[in-house]
C-alpha cells in the first residue's frame, strides 16, 4: 500500500459541450462530433489515473463527456473536492474550447494547476502555452508516464521533467519532448471500476458486452501514414513500444475475471505481428481465455498471412480493422501507407476464411483525387463487401491535422479550399471537407461518404447479413450496426457550413 501523498489530482476531460454533438476525443484519431455518439475508453488517461491512485495520490476520474456532466456540475465537484491539479487531454477541433475552459478554470480556481496533453498541444506546444493559462503541457505521448513524473516532481519539489513545458517567473519554459525511459509493462493495469468502464459501452463495432478498450502498444510500428496524427505527434517514428504478450495477457485475465468483459478491442494503431502475435495467441489458447473473451484489433493489409489469421481465430480474435483509405494506389503511395491495393482482397479473404470479421476504414476528399478516383474506392469497397470478404466499413473525409505531413503539404501546396483558414481549428471537425477537390463540390464529397455507406443498403449485403443471424445476440449486433450507419449518414448529411 503506497503512503498517502499530499496532491489531489483530477484526470479526464472537462465538459465540452457543443451544439454540433458529442465530441469524440480519446483514441479517435479522426475527430468528429456525433449525433449517435460512441465513447471510447481513453487508455493513456485511464492508466494515468490508475497509476496516480496506486501511488497514493488522492485521484479522481472525471471524464465529463462520458459522464454527461455540465460546467456547473463540474464546478460543484471542484468546489467540493478542491483538487490541486487537473490533467486533461484535447485535440485540434476542441483546442480553442479547451483554452477558453482553462481561462474560466484559472479565474475561478487560481490554485488549480492545469495540465494539458494530447496530439494538438504536442504538435504546437508554444501556441497552447501562449493562448491559455495552463500551468503545464505534456509534449509527447506516454502522458500517463509523464503525469506520474510530474506529480512526483511537484509532490517532492523536484525539477520539472524534460518534455513537460511550464512557466517560471512569468516566462514559458520550452522543455523539449517527453521521452519514455521506462517500459510500457511498468505501467499498472487500468482499474476499470475506478475509471468506470461501464460508461464506455456505446460502440457499434463490438459484439460482446461489457467491452473494454486496451492498447498493447503505442502506437503503430508502421507509423508513417502522412495523415495519421497520433503517429506524427504523440508517438512518432522510432518511439513505438509494445507491451509484452504476458503483460497484455495479465490485463485480459483481469478484464474477464474481475470485470466480466466479453470483448476487448486492442486500440494499438496496428497490433504487433510476427513473434509477438504468435506468443500472445498461444498464451490465449493455453490459458483457455480464447474461450472466455473475444479480441479485436487494428491491422494492416499484408501484415499477416492465412496461417496467422487461423491462429488468431483460434486465440479468440473476432474482428480485424483494416485501413483501406483509398482504392487508388497513387493515393496509398502519396499517403505513405505502405500497402498494396492488390493485397486488399487476399488479406480480407484470408481473414474471412479463418472465420474473422473484417472492418474497413475508408476516406474520401483527398485534394488530388477526382470523382472517378473516389468512385474507384467505392467500387473496391463494394466488391469486397459484396463478395463477403468484409463485414463492416466506415467512411470519413480526410482531415489533415496540424502536426502531420499532410497538413504541412496542404499549406505548402494550397490544397485547402479557398475560404478555409488552416488556423481555424474548430473547422477540423469533419463537418465539411477542408480540401479543394479537382472536380467535386463539397456536397459531392459528403455524398461520396454516404454513397460508401449505402453499400450497407445493398439487398445482396442485407441478405448476407440476415443469413448470418444465428442468435438474439447476432440480431442485436446487426440492429446496433444499422442504427450506427444511419447515425453516420445523418452526420454526413448535415448541410455543409458555408463561409461567412
Ligand atoms: S497504419 Fe494506421 S495507425 Fe499506423 S501509421 Fe498508418 S494510419 Fe496510423
Amino acid at each position: 500500500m503506497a503512503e498517502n501523498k499530499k496532491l489531489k489530482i483530477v484526470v479526464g476531460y472537462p465538459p465540452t459541450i457543443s451544439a454540433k454533438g458529442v465530441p469524440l476525443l480519446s483514441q479517435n484519431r479522426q475527430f468528429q462530433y456525433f449525433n449517435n455518439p460512441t465513447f471510447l475508453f481513453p487508455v493513456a488517461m485511464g492508466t494515468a489515473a490508475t497509476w496516480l491512485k496506486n501511488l497514493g495520490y488522492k485521484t479522481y476520474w472525471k471524464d465529463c463527456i462520458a459522464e454527461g456532466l455540465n460546467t456547473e456540475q463540474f464546478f460543484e465537484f471542484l468546489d467540493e473536492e478542491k483538487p490541486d491539479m487537473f490533467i486533461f487531454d484535447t485535440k485540434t477541433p476542441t483546442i480553442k474550447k479547451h483554452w477558453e475552459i482553462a481561462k474560466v478554470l484559472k479565474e475561478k480556481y487560481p490554485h488549480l494547476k492545469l495540465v494539458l496533453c494530447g496530439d494538438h498541444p504536442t504538435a504546437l506546444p508554444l501556441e497552447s502555452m501562449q493562448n491559455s493559462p495552463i500551468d503545464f503541457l505534456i509534449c509527447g505521448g506516454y502522458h500517463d508516464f509523464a503525469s506520474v513524473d510530474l506529480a512526483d516532481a511537484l509532490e517532492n519539489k523536484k525539477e520539472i521533467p524534460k518534455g513537460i513545458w511550464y512557466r517560471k517567473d512569468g516566462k514559458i519554459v520550452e522543455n523539449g519532448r517527453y521521452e519514455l525511459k521506462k517500459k510500457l509493462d511498468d505501467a499498472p493495469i487500468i482499474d476499470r471500476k475506478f475509471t468506470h468502464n461501464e460508461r464506455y459501452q456505446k460502440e457499434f463495432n463490438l459484439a460482446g458486452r461489457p467491452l473494454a478498450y486496451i492498447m498493447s502498444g503505442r502506437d503503430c510500428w508502421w507509423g508513417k501514414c502522412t495523415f495519421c496524427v497520433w503517429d506524427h505527434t504523440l508517438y512518432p517514428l522510432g518511439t513505438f513500444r509494445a507491451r509484452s504478450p504476458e503483460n497484455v495477457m495479465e490485463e485480459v485475465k483481469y478484464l474477464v475475471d474481475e470485470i466480466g468483459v466479453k470483448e476487448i478491442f486492442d486500440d494499438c494503431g496496428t497490433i504487433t505481428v510476427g513473434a509477438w502475435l504468435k506468443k500472445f495467441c498461444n498464451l490465449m489458447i493455453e490459458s483457455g481465455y480464447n474461450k472466455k473473451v473475444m479480441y479485436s484489433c487494428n491491422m494492416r493489409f499484408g501484415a499477416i498471412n492465412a496461417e496467422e489469421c487461423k491462429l488468431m481465430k483460434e486465440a479468440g480474435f473476432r474482428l480485424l480493422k483494416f485501413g483501406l483509405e483509398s482504392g487508388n494506389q497513387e493515393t496509398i503511395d502519396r499517403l505513405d501507407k505502405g500497402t498494396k491495393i492488390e493485397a486488399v482482397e487476399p488479406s480480407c479473404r484470408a481473414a474471412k476464411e479463418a472465420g474473422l470479421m473484417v472492418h474497413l476504414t475508408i476516406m474520401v476528399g483527398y485534394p488530388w483525387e477526382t470523382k472517378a478516383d473516389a468512385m474507384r474506392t467505392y467500387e473496391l469497397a463494394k466488391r469486397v463487401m459484396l463478395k463477403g470478404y468484409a463485414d463492416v466499413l466506415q467512411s470519413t473525409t480526410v482531415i489533415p491535422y496540424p502536426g502531420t505531413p499532410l497538413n504541412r503539404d496542404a499549406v505548402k501546396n494550397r490544397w485547402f479550399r479557398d475560404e478555409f483558414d488552416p488556423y481555424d481549428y474548430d473547422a477540423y471537425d469533419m463537418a465539411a471537407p477542408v480540401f479543394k477537390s479537382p472536380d467535386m463540390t463539397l456536397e459531392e464529397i459528403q455524398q461520396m461518404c454516404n454513397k460508401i455507406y449505402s453499400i450497407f443498403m445493398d439487398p445482396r449485403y442485407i441478405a448476407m447479413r440476415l443469413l448470418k443471424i444465428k442468435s438474439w445476440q447476432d440480431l442485436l449486433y446487426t440492429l446496433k450496426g444499422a442504427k450506427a450507419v444511419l447515425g453516420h449518414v445523418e452526420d454526413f448529411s448535415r448541410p455543409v457550413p458555408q463561409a461567412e
Side-chain angles (χ1 to χ4, degrees):
M1 188 76 186
E3 74 180 75
N4 286 344
K5 308 274 197 313
K6 291 194 289 289
L7 282 179
K8 293 168 89 174
I9 305 172
V10 186
V11 182
Y13 297 86
T16 311
I17 293 155
S18 171
K20 296 175 184 176
V22 178
L24 262 84
L25 293 161
S26 185
Q27 274 95 244
N28 275 294
R29 279 77 162 181
Q30 297 280 310
F31 176 97
Q32 254 178 304
Y33 287 104
F34 270 174
N35 282 322
N36 183 23
T38 59
F39 298 109
L40 303 191
F41 185 89
V43 173
M45 299 300 278
T47 309
T50 301
W51 206 344
L52 291 164
K53 170 185 72 81
N54 292 356
L55 287 169
Y57 297 98
K58 176 76 181 155
T59 308
Y60 307 85
W61 177 249
K62 257 311 146 205
D63 179 347
C64 296
I65 301 171
E67 200 178 335
L69 290 191
N70 61 29
T71 309
E72 284 68 37
Q73 289 166 316
F74 188 49
F75 287 165
E76 273 169 33
F77 158 77
L78 294 175
D79 289 337
E80 200 163 310
E81 300 298 339
K82 299 183 177 42
D84 303 294
M85 187 151 88
F86 177 33
I87 304 170
F88 62 107
D89 177 32
T90 191
K91 296 180 83 65
T92 300
T94 50
I95 189 82
K96 288 191 171 172
K97 207 177 266 295
H98 285 162
W99 289 340
E100 291 311 309
I101 290 170
K103 284 176 198 161
V104 173
L105 286 173
K106 207 62 187 167
E107 206 165 294
K108 202 165 158 54
Y109 306 100
H111 70 282
L112 181 67
K113 299 281 181 228
L114 300 174
V115 185
L116 187 65
C117 56
D119 48 38
H120 187 100
T122 293
L124 299 164
L126 189 58
E127 178 198 63
S128 278
M129 292 296 288
Q130 287 172 336
N131 288 328
S132 76
I134 52 166
D135 298 278
F136 300 100
L137 182 147
I138 297 172
C139 184
Y142 303 112
H143 27 280
D144 34 7
F145 290 76
S147 298
V148 166
D149 288 353
L150 175 61
D152 178 51
L154 296 179
E155 179 83 16
N156 298 303
K157 303 201 175 0
K158 294 183 192 166
E159 196 183 336
I160 302 299
K162 182 171 177 285
I164 301 175
W165 293 38
Y166 59 101
R167 299 175 199 277
K168 193 173 181 191
D169 304 327
K171 294 211 174 74
I172 295 166
V173 180
E174 300 181 23
N175 203 14
R177 269 192 73 89
Y178 184 77
E179 282 162 25
L180 185 67
K181 302 256 168 53
K182 296 180 176 140
K183 296 199 297 267
L184 275 187
D185 284 9
D186 293 334
I189 302 293
I190 298 166
D191 183 334
R192 301 289 169 151
K193 290 179 185 157
F194 176 66
T195 52
H196 291 282
N197 192 58
E198 74 279 1
R199 291 189 186 135
Y200 304 88
Q201 301 300 311
K202 276 196 90 181
E203 221 290 7
F204 84 95
N205 284 327
L206 303 187
R209 293 291 183 279
L211 63 88
Y213 268 67
I214 70 166
M215 289 180 78
S216 63
R218 297 192 210 162
D219 176 51
C220 173
W221 46 267
W222 174 256
K224 293 185 193 172
C225 306
T226 62
F227 60 88
C228 186
V229 66
W230 269 34
D231 290 80
H232 289 282
T233 58
L234 298 179
Y235 307 103
L237 216 53
T239 64
F240 172 75
R241 300 280 184 282
R243 295 162 59 186
S244 67
E246 291 82 358
N247 182 258
V248 179
M249 196 61 229
E250 194 189 322
E251 184 164 26
V252 170
K253 288 181 177 172
Y254 159 77
L255 288 170
V256 173
D257 297 345
E258 306 277 326
I259 310 296
V261 162
K262 297 284 190 298
E263 181 158 9
I264 291 169
F265 190 85
D266 183 344
D267 214 357
C268 177
T270 306
I271 195 170
T272 312
V273 292
W276 188 100
L277 185 60
K278 194 170 173 200
K279 172 88 192 195
F280 178 65
C281 287
N282 286 332
L283 287 173
M284 287 287 282
I285 296 163
E286 286 156 15
S287 63
Y289 279 74
N290 58 337
K291 304 274 187 265
K292 296 182 181 177
V293 68
M294 297 177 276
Y295 200 97
S296 297
C297 66
N298 298 311
M299 183 51 78
R300 284 170 52 77
F301 290 119
I304 46 170
N305 59 30
E307 283 312 304
E308 287 163 322
C309 287
K310 284 183 201 148
L311 181 64
M312 289 173 85
K313 176 65 186 171
E314 195 190 341
F317 278 75
R318 187 184 72 85
L319 175 138
L320 306 184
K321 203 169 178 181
F322 290 92
L324 173 63
E325 322 306 3
S326 167
N328 301 285
Q329 190 62 50
E330 189 206 330
T331 297
I332 297 297
D333 295 342
R334 289 179 82 150
L335 296 174
D336 212 353
K337 185 81 197 167
T339 53
K340 292 281 173 220
I341 296 291
E342 64 255 29
V344 170
E345 280 197 41
S347 286
C348 293
R349 196 176 59 228
K352 289 302 300 173
E353 283 174 0
L356 296 162
M357 286 190 82
V358 171
H359 177 133
L360 304 174
T361 61
I362 297 163
M363 292 193 286
V364 294
Y366 299 102
W368 55 82
E369 278 204 348
T370 61
K371 190 169 189 176
D373 293 328
M375 279 303 290
R376 249 189 304 281
T377 301
Y378 163 75
E379 294 296 347
L380 174 62
K382 187 172 169 185
R383 195 165 62 244
V384 174
M385 291 280 280
L386 295 186
K387 279 185 175 176
Y389 295 161
D391 303 276
V392 206
L393 57 74
Q394 87 191 46
S395 173
T396 54
T397 49
V398 62
I399 302 291
Y401 298 104
T404 61
L406 190 61
N407 185 284
R408 280 195 292 276
D409 288 350
V411 172
K412 195 169 102 197
N413 298 316
R414 299 176 179 275
W415 284 337
F416 290 109
R417 57 188 163 85
D418 295 338
E419 66 278 21
F420 185 83
D421 171 6
Y423 297 98
D424 178 7
Y425 297 138
D426 293 359
Y428 287 80
D429 65 354
M430 224 185 274
V434 301
F435 287 138
K436 286 183 276 205
S437 156
D439 63 353
M440 281 192 280
T441 64
L442 300 185
E443 284 76 13
E444 282 173 326
I445 297 171
Q446 301 279 67
Q447 282 160 12
M448 193 55 79
C449 255
N450 282 348
K451 189 171 177 62
I452 292 171
Y453 276 118
S454 76
I455 298 169
F456 284 115
M457 310 298 171
D458 189 293
R460 288 163 289 179
Y461 176 80
I462 293 173
M464 266 192 307
R465 295 297 305 179
L466 291 177
L467 284 173
K468 282 182 187 149
I469 294 175
K470 302 267 183 320
S471 64
W472 281 108
Q473 201 188 14
D474 291 346
L475 180 64
L476 215 61
Y477 177 60
T478 306
L479 290 175
K480 271 190 202 148
K483 188 173 167 225
V485 169
L486 293 174
H488 287 308
V489 170
E490 193 184 333
D491 289 321
F492 283 105
S493 303
R494 292 172 184 166
V496 173
Q498 301 300 318
E500 303 271 302

